[in-house]
Amino acid sequence: MMAESTAGSKRIVQEGIAPMEIIHGGDLDAARAAFPGAPEPWIDLSTGINPWPYPLPPIPAEAWARLPGRSAETALRVAAAACYGVPSPDHVAAAGGSQALIQLLPRLRRPGTVAVLGPTYAEHAAGWTKAGHRVAEVESLDACDAEVVVIVNPNNPDGRIVPPERLLALAERQASRGGWLVVDEAFAEVAPECSVASQAGWSGLVVLRSFGKFFGLAGVRLGFLIGGLPLVREVRAAVGPWAVSGPALAVATAALSDSAWIAANRHRLAAAAARFDARLAGAGLRVAGGTSLFRLIDDPQAAGLCNALGRAGVLVRRFDHRPNWLRFGLPTNRAAEDRVMVACETFKI
Amino acid sequence: MMAESTAGSKRIVQEGIAPMEIIHGGDLDAARAAFPGAPEPWIDLSTGINPWPYPLPPIPAEAWARLPGRSAETALRVAAAACYGVPSPDHVAAAGGSQALIQLLPRLRRPGTVAVLGPTYAEHAAGWTKAGHRVAEVESLDACDAEVVVIVNPNNPDGRIVPPERLLALAERQASRGGWLVVDEAFAEVAPECSVASQAGWSGLVVLRSFGKFFGLAGVRLGFLIGGLPLVREVRAAVGPWAVSGPALAVATAALSDSAWIAANRHRLAAAAARFDARLAGAGLRVAGGTSLFRLIDDPQAAGLCNALGRAGVLVRRFDHRPNWLRFGLPTNRAAEDRVMVACETFKI
């Protein structure tokens, strides 16, 4: 992972204006339009989603037909609390994706100051800005001086990890000023030692978790907020009854409880990432950071490489403000990895 | 259906305070706790959901694994627009349930006055109240004098229908004062002649549609807002990317396009409702209104009947403020209908 930046610079990314549309990974439609001659099927490495999904358990017909019952929603929150090390399901709220929570959270505080430790997932700054807050993207933890501080941990895309003890100290400081520390742990399943979810009962500390990334089921749409009781109650009221679909409840309750699968896939992803790193290095590409769900390349020729990969039917994630960066998800199999590497090696020659 | 009330009374149900928790149908857990000796399996007639669900089409693995793509979301909105008679998918926003839209809509206007034509689905008044609006529940169309007017059409639970021409006239009046007419058409599939969805491009007219009720797939969590372009854009931004799950996109795009199934099930539900009415009448129960997805009984002994049904393992919907009312969904088969009728007839003797 990348070392935390020591630069103290502070950049206002947006203030009081609606953000432009944010580019996300996973948009194969746009990729096909940009590279009409690329071979099919495309290899999509543009997201940080586990390419080996949790095997779907049988989904009872009732989960589709009926309104999701309270007991099913409670069972999900119990499973999530156990999986994330949270003492009680009362500290857990479920919603239709962590994105939904990223959009909701800024509306639950009156407009104030927000510091987002960047560069990171752009929806955080956009959400707070849209709700009328004054948002600064800052590049060091020391510059995180605002009523609300947002840290993605491990960070997307560079994998930067802020140690839990520093987060907890910051949360305490935030609480003492009536503020929040929001920690987005969307990728923390592959770095469980960095999670502070078990501490999120503290006022001031709010943790977000994503179901779809580690379990490879992003289409299910499920995310969690973990926090103090008043905030969790407020979030549950705001998302309303039946915010999570019946199939999502059935699949995720099984997945979050499957500690054997979780351990095995943590291992599998770490091994796959290490193997992929070695091949990237062999092609002269420097891995600057990431998690075992995605790898970040830092290369002055990144833009050209991105196009070469596009012509080869490989979609990776580029970053407008960091032209030297490319983020790669993990190829699913050897054939896909070979196609990626051929494109990289041919470009680099 | 019940004739529109001509009473001009106007009752303030809530003003500026958070509502108590609203009781909904479908809570079998609570029913089992209240009637521990009731036979299993319970017959749940407490919701207005089609008991004969749309048959699930094959759902590709990608719909679960990947983030829902833009083209899939567009295809859903195209299918919804065609199904609801809306000229363009640009007038359609999709969300994870019409409940999510009921919770969102009040936050898109600065607090003002709201009239809800009641009695009706309680979440409307609750949502507007929670967002700081001054809400009055009114009992006649003539009393609908507010910046925002909310009408469920056909109404739940009494089936009251406000004719489209009256709705359109009211929408025009609302538009001229910068207001909205919100028409919740959650049950309009079984009364398509009363829908104003095709006119919702007008400023002032906002229509909500529910996927799960008519298609019998309430667990899927999908609803639509149909309105003018600026509002639809705002709603789409507020729900954010990937608000609808991949499986929901796959299932609903197929279902909304299946006009043969839609026509056949409209017919099937109407026939089943008529047959059920005859049996209820035979047991001395007066059907006071409803749609072909639910029937409303008006009986001074409703509370006792509700308990008798509970002891027989049949859950129906009661209404705190209308003790004489009970709402029945349709029994799925003859055996279930017989169990319901035995309980009714035994109680009435």
Side-chain angles (χ1 to χ4, degrees):
Chain A
M1 66 217 61
M2 196 172 266
E4 191 200 318
S5 166
T6 52
S9 70
K10 185 164 168 175
R11 186 163 58 90
I12 306 293
V13 284
Q14 251 135 9
E15 204 161 309
I17 50 160
M20 299 289 288
E21 192 167 20
I22 294 168
I23 295 170
H24 289 287
D27 192 352
L28 277 181
D29 302 330
R32 286 195 173 95
F35 300 98
E40 289 282 349
W42 273 74
I43 297 170
D44 182 9
L45 306 185
S46 70
T47 68
I49 299 164
N50 184 347
W52 299 291
Y54 186 78
L56 290 178
I59 299 171
E62 285 210 331
W64 297 94
R66 290 178 54 85
L67 282 170
R70 278 178 200 221
S71 58
E73 202 253 359
T74 302
L76 173 70
R77 291 187 298 110
V78 167
C83 181
Y84 301 145
V86 180
S88 154
D90 295 342
H91 288 285
V92 179
S98 62
Q99 178 63 35
L101 294 163
I102 289 172
Q103 310 227 169
L104 172 65
L105 212 42
R107 294 197 301 254
L108 302 183
R109 283 185 75 96
R110 70 183 61 204
T113 56
V114 178
V116 178
L117 185 60
T120 191
Y121 184 59
E123 293 280 358
H124 286 289
W128 290 95
T129 301
K130 187 152 187 271
H133 301 264
R134 290 197 312 287
V135 179
E137 185 177 299
V138 301
E139 292 184 353
S140 87
L141 199 57
D142 296 332
C144 285
D145 179 19
E147 290 162 39
V148 175
V149 173
V150 181
I151 297 177
V152 181
N153 204 48
N155 193 42
N156 171 11
D158 62 3
R160 173 190 54 207
I161 287 181
V162 178
E165 58 275 16
R166 294 202 65 183
L167 293 174
L168 295 177
L170 179 54
E172 204 162 351
R173 208 180 75 202
Q174 291 301 102
S176 71
R177 70 191 281 178
W180 287 346
L181 169 62
V182 179
V183 182
D184 179 351
E185 296 188 347
F187 298 98
E189 271 85 354
V190 294
E193 68 288 352
C194 81
S195 172
V196 291
S198 62
Q199 308 296 314
W202 289 18
S203 71
L205 181 58
V206 181
V207 172
L208 301 176
R209 300 288 298 224
S210 165
F211 172 73
K213 294 179 182 73
F214 176 69
F215 289 98
L217 293 170
V220 162
R221 310 312 302 134
L222 177 63
F224 300 95
L225 179 142
I226 305 162
L229 295 182
L231 177 63
V232 166
R233 273 195 290 265
E234 201 179 345
V235 167
R236 294 183 67 195
V239 301
W242 323 301
V244 176
S245 73
L249 291 169
V251 172
T253 303
L256 290 162
S257 309
D258 192 342
S259 48
W261 189 94
I262 291 171
N265 275 268
R266 208 172 263 154
H267 192 74
R268 178 185 197 169
L269 287 164
R275 194 182 61 235
F276 190 41
D277 278 8
R279 294 204 66 181
L280 291 166
L285 292 165
R286 193 175 82 86
V287 175
T291 72
S292 44
L293 284 162
F294 54 82
R295 310 306 293 157
L296 186 70
I297 294 298
D298 190 344
D299 192 292
Q301 293 180 290
L305 176 58
C306 186
N307 286 332
L309 287 162
R311 286 189 297 272
V314 178
L315 181 61
V316 296
R317 179 77 161 81
R318 60 185 179 77
F319 299 86
D320 281 345
H321 297 295
R322 303 274 165 159
N324 289 1
W325 282 4
L326 285 183
R327 194 189 65 193
F328 289 67
L330 300 184
T332 319
N333 54 47
R334 187 62 188 240
E337 198 174 289
D338 287 346
R339 192 157 130 205
V340 174
M341 297 320 303
V342 166
C344 289
E345 285 156 6
T346 311
F347 176 77
K348 275 296 202 178
I349 287 165
Chain B
M1 67 218 60
M2 198 171 265
E4 190 199 320
S5 165
T6 52
S9 70
K10 184 167 170 172
R11 186 164 58 89
I12 305 293
V13 284
Q14 252 134 7
E15 204 161 309
I17 49 159
M20 299 289 287
E21 193 169 16
I22 295 168
I23 294 171
H24 290 287
D27 193 353
L28 278 182
D29 302 330
R32 285 194 174 96
F35 300 99
E40 291 280 349
W42 274 74
I43 297 170
D44 182 8
L45 305 185
S46 70
T47 69
I49 298 165
N50 184 346
W52 300 289
Y54 185 77
L56 290 178
I59 299 171
E62 286 211 331
W64 298 92
R66 291 179 53 86
L67 282 169
R70 278 180 200 220
S71 57
E73 202 254 358
T74 303
L76 173 71
R77 290 187 298 110
V78 167
C83 181
Y84 301 144
V86 180
S88 153
D90 295 342
H91 289 285
V92 179
S98 62
Q99 177 63 36
L101 294 163
I102 289 172
Q103 310 226 170
L104 172 64
L105 212 43
R107 294 198 300 252
L108 302 183
R109 284 186 75 95
R110 70 182 61 205
T113 57
V114 177
V116 178
L117 186 60
T120 191
Y121 184 59
E123 293 281 358
H124 286 289
W128 291 94
T129 301
K130 189 154 186 267
H133 300 264
R134 290 198 312 286
V135 179
E137 184 177 298
V138 301
E139 291 184 353
S140 86
L141 199 58
D142 296 332
C144 286
D145 179 19
E147 290 161 39
V148 174
V149 173
V150 180
I151 297 177
V152 181
N153 204 49
N155 193 41
N156 171 13
D158 63 2
R160 173 189 55 207
I161 287 181
V162 178
E165 57 276 16
R166 294 203 65 184
L167 292 174
L168 296 177
L170 179 54
E172 204 161 353
R173 207 181 76 201
Q174 291 301 100
S176 71
R177 70 189 282 179
W180 287 345
L181 170 61
V182 179
V183 182
D184 179 351
E185 297 188 348
F187 298 97
E189 271 85 355
V190 293
E193 67 288 353
C194 82
S195 172
V196 291
S198 63
Q199 308 295 313
W202 289 21
S203 70
L205 181 58
V206 181
V207 173
L208 301 177
R209 301 288 296 225
S210 166
F211 172 73
K213 295 179 181 72
F214 176 70
F215 289 98
L217 293 169
V220 162
R221 308 314 300 135
L222 177 64
F224 300 96
L225 178 143
I226 305 163
L229 296 183
L231 177 62
V232 166
R233 273 195 290 265
E234 202 179 344
V235 168
R236 294 183 68 196
V239 300
W242 323 300
V244 177
S245 73
L249 291 168
V251 172
T253 304
L256 290 162
S257 308
D258 192 341
S259 48
W261 189 93
I262 291 170
N265 275 267
R266 208 172 262 154
H267 192 74
R268 177 185 198 168
L269 287 163
R275 193 183 59 235
F276 190 42
D277 279 8
R279 293 204 68 181
L280 290 166
L285 292 165
R286 194 175 80 86
V287 175
T291 71
S292 43
L293 284 163
F294 54 83
R295 310 305 294 157
L296 186 70
I297 294 299
D298 190 343
D299 193 292
Q301 294 179 287
L305 177 57
C306 186
N307 287 332
L309 287 162
R311 286 189 296 272
V314 177
L315 181 61
V316 298
R317 179 78 160 83
R318 59 185 181 77
F319 299 86
D320 281 345
H321 297 296
R322 304 275 165 161
N324 289 359
W325 283 5
L326 286 183
R327 195 188 64 194
F328 288 68
L330 300 183
T332 319
N333 53 49
R334 187 63 187 239
E337 198 174 289
D338 286 346
R339 191 156 130 207
V340 174
M341 297 320 302
V342 166
C344 290
E345 285 155 8
T346 310
F347 176 77
K348 274 297 201 180
I349 286 165

